[in-house]
Amino acid sequence: MEQHKKTIPVSFILRAITWILLSISFPFFEAFYTQHPYLLQVAYGLNTFLTASVIISIGKFIIVAFYNRRHAAHKVRGNFVLGISRLAAILNAIFAIIAVMIALGIDPREFITSMTIVAMAIAVIFREYITNMISGLIVMFSEQFSIGDHIRIGEHSGKIIDITFANIVVLNEEEDMVLVPNNLVFTATVINKSAQISNKLTVRFELPLAEQMDVQTLSARLDPVLKTMPDLTAGAEVIVRIAELGKDFVKYKIDLYAIDSSNRRQKRIESAVLNAVLDLNRGAA
């Protein structure tokens, strides 16, 4: 199991300290705020945002800690944490807008009431984006697929590198970044290639056209080396393919299966395979 580095929540600490100091300032500098009512509005607005932000951060930490503890003995795909983080970002943005209203002397309740019709019009205009955002939240909280999975959605296939409120960002086999709308997940056929094979990895390399080999020859020459690798699944099929044929080069892809989905292990396998390819070239020379 890989160890994740613990980072000091500097942002949270700064927000908490600012919130405490600002809350203390109200009784201690009451006379000053009375003389400067505009600064009092700004202080109230900032205090509203910081109060909500600190509570949201604490709630997020507790929920994630409870979730991780509850699933400590099980393999989880990490979407729940992603969904909580995105939801916390939305709540922070909402309270930031409310804080600005308070700082400007606008009553948020009256503003929302007066903007109801406008809000309905905005909801109609931005319906696609809103439904995409809702679909994105559903995807984030689901366990069907997560970042790092290899999937096929409709005509698009590749590795998920990010999930946003608008799109699922997929890196396809041509190394192109494809933005797939979240709504497509619920209207198109989705195949998760990593659901059963999470230990699959693909090693890519290229050879000069003058030194190219057919896939059968390359597979036969690499097979003795691959069989000695303890990180690979014993007896698993090794698939060698030509990915691209250029003017003076040939790009190859080798699909392998590690004994687990550890990134460190897969990087070690990739390095060993590439070293074996270099040895083949030196031997051929």
Side-chain angles (χ1 to χ4, degrees):
M1 181 180 296
E2 293 186 19
Q3 299 294 327
H4 297 279
K5 295 182 178 179
K6 296 183 178 179
T7 57
I8 300 176
V10 178
S11 172
F12 171 76
I13 293 174
L14 292 176
R15 280 179 285 139
I17 293 175
T18 305
W19 172 59
I20 293 172
L21 294 176
L22 190 60
S23 299
I24 294 174
S25 73
F26 290 123
F28 280 93
F29 297 96
E30 184 177 357
F32 174 81
Y33 284 130
T34 302
Q35 295 175 1
H36 302 83
Y38 176 71
L39 290 179
L40 179 61
Q41 288 180 190
V42 174
Y44 273 136
L46 182 59
N47 186 68
T48 299
F49 171 73
L50 291 175
T51 302
S53 181
V54 169
I55 292 174
I56 291 169
S57 296
I58 294 174
K60 172 186 171 184
F61 173 80
I62 294 173
I63 292 172
V64 171
F66 178 77
Y67 176 81
N68 289 336
R69 182 177 179 180
R70 185 176 181 181
H71 296 83
H74 304 87
K75 183 177 180 180
V76 295
R77 305 179 70 77
N79 278 16
F80 182 83
V81 177
L82 176 64
I84 288 294
S85 299
R86 297 284 199 253
L87 191 57
I90 291 177
L91 293 176
N92 277 317
I94 291 173
F95 279 102
I97 294 173
I98 293 174
V100 171
M101 291 182 186
I102 294 174
L104 296 176
I106 302 173
D107 188 337
R109 291 171 296 183
E110 293 181 0
F111 179 82
I112 292 173
T113 302
S114 62
M115 291 292 292
T116 302
I117 298 177
V118 177
M120 291 177 62
I122 292 174
V124 172
I125 295 173
F126 295 98
R127 180 181 58 185
E128 290 297 325
Y129 183 81
I130 293 173
T131 55
N132 252 338
M133 185 175 68
I134 295 173
S135 299
L137 281 173
I138 295 174
V139 169
M140 291 172 196
F141 282 106
S142 74
E143 292 293 327
Q144 296 176 350
F145 50 80
S146 63
I147 294 175
D149 284 356
H150 290 264
I151 66 169
R152 177 184 294 277
I153 305 178
E155 61 181 11
H156 307 291
S157 63
K159 179 181 179 181
I160 299 177
I161 59 175
D162 196 11
I163 301 175
T164 69
F165 288 123
N167 307 291
I168 297 174
V169 184
V170 175
L171 189 68
N172 64 17
E173 295 183 354
E174 288 73 35
E175 302 295 328
D176 296 325
M177 189 179 296
V178 181
L179 304 180
V180 182
N182 291 323
N183 284 340
L184 194 61
V185 173
F186 302 99
T187 59
T189 301
V190 180
I191 300 175
N192 188 352
K193 300 178 181 179
S194 300
Q196 292 80 28
I197 311 175
S198 59
N199 58 345
K200 178 182 177 181
L201 72 150
T202 300
V203 180
R204 295 177 172 85
F205 61 92
E206 64 179 58
L207 295 176
L209 191 60
E211 301 176 11
Q212 59 82 26
M213 287 179 277
D214 61 78
V215 292
Q216 289 81 9
T217 301
L218 183 59
S219 178
R221 292 189 180 183
L222 289 176
D223 189 60
V225 179
L226 298 176
K227 285 183 177 179
T228 62
M229 291 186 185
D231 293 322
L232 291 176
T233 301
E237 183 182 10
V238 177
I239 303 174
V240 182
R241 293 179 291 172
I242 295 178
E244 183 181 346
L245 181 62
K247 182 179 180 181
D248 53 2
F249 66 88
V250 179
K251 288 187 177 182
Y252 296 87
K253 292 172 57 176
I254 302 180
D255 294 333
L256 303 166
Y257 299 91
I259 58 178
D260 58 37
S261 58
S262 166
N263 288 331
R264 184 177 299 177
R265 188 185 305 279
Q266 293 188 2
K267 290 292 183 183
R268 190 161 61 236
I269 293 172
E270 181 178 6
S271 179
V273 172
L274 294 178
N275 281 330
V277 172
L278 289 176
D279 291 339
L280 289 180
N281 283 343
R282 284 194 288 265

